[in-house]
Amino acid sequence: EAGVVQSPRYKIIEKKQPVAFWCNPISGHNTLYWYLQNLGQGPELLIRYENEEAVDDSQLPKDRFSAERLKGVDSTLKIQPAELGDSAVYLCASSSGGVTDEQFFGPGTRLTVL
Amino acid sequence: GQNIDQPTEMTATEGAIVQINCTYQTSGFNGLFWYQQHAGEAPTFLSYNVLDGLEEKGRFSSFLSRSKGYSYLLLKELQMKDSASYLCAAMDSNYQLIWGAGTKLIIKP
């Protein structure tokens, strides 16, 4: 079974530029999460999807971040414009059922904003 | 506020046993997770406890005391590959996961 796929793995951009991350969850997983993780810290939830519906986006900085999950499968997270403080690893995770189910994480995208 | 506390770093010897503690304060409680994260890699699931008591899974065991807001992860027969960060995460009444900063475990030969 293929795991969660993310691309790109690494991205370096200058501040004020836009950037987008893509995630393909495990087949059949209805729940999809986007997290950011800073070095030495735990993941911080940005948004959670149940199928194509964003059921928890309370931590998403909506002035510059946006996300979509068309057709309830792949998802894209966008930052526009990026700021220096956005440098972090962006993790995508998926789970098959309820929120108490195990989450399977992708390898992440390491973003560096210069 | 909601909070997770776990030690920043621990050191143990190969073949020994180590216990990583986690205390939590959440608005309501819907279970506690432990994840393992090797440097530069994604977290991987280790355990989920929602009832009090000890659950054993091979060399790893996880314990929960809801009344004390306390959990621990017990690793036996430590191997060098167990060197990683161990993340404790508690789920609140809104089913949001509150993550700790992780405990970096260093295994020495």
Side-chain angles (χ1 to χ4, degrees):
Chain A
E1 177 181 88
V4 176
V5 179
Q6 289 187 248
S7 68
R9 291 294 312 278
Y10 304 91
K11 189 73 176 179
I12 301 174
I13 61 172
E14 295 190 347
K15 62 181 181 182
K16 301 184 181 179
Q17 295 299 305
V19 64
F21 314 122
W22 175 81
C23 173
N24 178 241
I26 293 173
S27 177
H29 281 196
N30 298 324
T31 308
L32 184 146
Y33 307 79
W34 281 104
Y35 292 93
L36 73 81
Q37 186 176 27
N38 289 300
L39 190 63
Q41 299 297 315
E44 299 173 32
L45 181 68
L46 292 171
I47 191 167
R48 173 167 65 94
Y49 283 94
E50 295 289 344
N51 297 303
E52 64 272 15
E53 181 182 359
V55 296
D56 184 356
D57 63 356
S58 58
Q59 304 301 313
L60 189 73
K62 299 181 183 64
D63 56 334
R64 297 184 300 108
F65 287 64
S66 64
E68 60 182 10
R69 191 184 184 196
L70 299 177
K71 301 181 181 179
V73 182
D74 294 1
S75 179
T76 302
L77 177 70
K78 298 178 181 178
I79 308 175
Q80 183 170 10
E83 296 179 353
L84 295 176
D86 296 332
S87 295
V89 175
Y90 290 81
L91 294 165
C92 178
S94 68
S95 66
S96 59
V99 289
T100 57
D101 286 356
E102 170 186 357
Q103 293 183 31
F104 293 83
F105 285 81
T109 297
R110 182 176 296 277
L111 175 67
T112 301
V113 182
L114 303 176
Chain B
Q2 308 199 98
N3 192 52
I4 301 283
D5 282 319
Q6 51 182 132
T8 302
E9 186 173 299
M10 299 182 69
T11 302
T13 304
E14 189 177 16
I17 299 173
V18 70
Q19 178 174 312
I20 302 174
N21 296 324
C22 169
T23 58
Y24 63 89
Q25 290 180 306
T26 55
S27 301
F29 181 73
N30 278 298
L32 189 125
F33 293 80
W34 284 96
Y35 281 78
Q36 180 191 60
Q37 186 173 27
H38 286 99
E41 297 184 11
T44 54
F45 172 82
L46 290 176
S47 66
Y48 170 67
N49 294 64
V50 68
L51 299 176
D52 285 355
L54 183 69
E55 292 201 6
E56 299 184 67
K57 192 185 296 185
R59 294 189 299 113
F60 292 11
S61 303
S62 56
F63 172 84
L64 177 67
S65 169
R66 295 177 64 138
S67 62
K68 295 182 179 179
Y70 168 69
S71 173
Y72 67 72
L73 182 69
L74 190 71
L75 291 74
K76 302 177 183 176
E77 302 171 12
L78 285 170
Q79 302 176 9
M80 297 303 293
K81 67 179 183 179
D82 297 329
S83 293
S85 283
Y86 291 85
L87 298 161
C88 171
M91 183 164 280
D92 69 11
S93 58
N94 292 321
Y95 296 96
Q96 288 193 349
L97 266 182
I98 313 301
W99 292 82
T103 298
K104 183 179 180 180
L105 178 63
I106 300 168
I107 309 297
K108 295 185 175 180

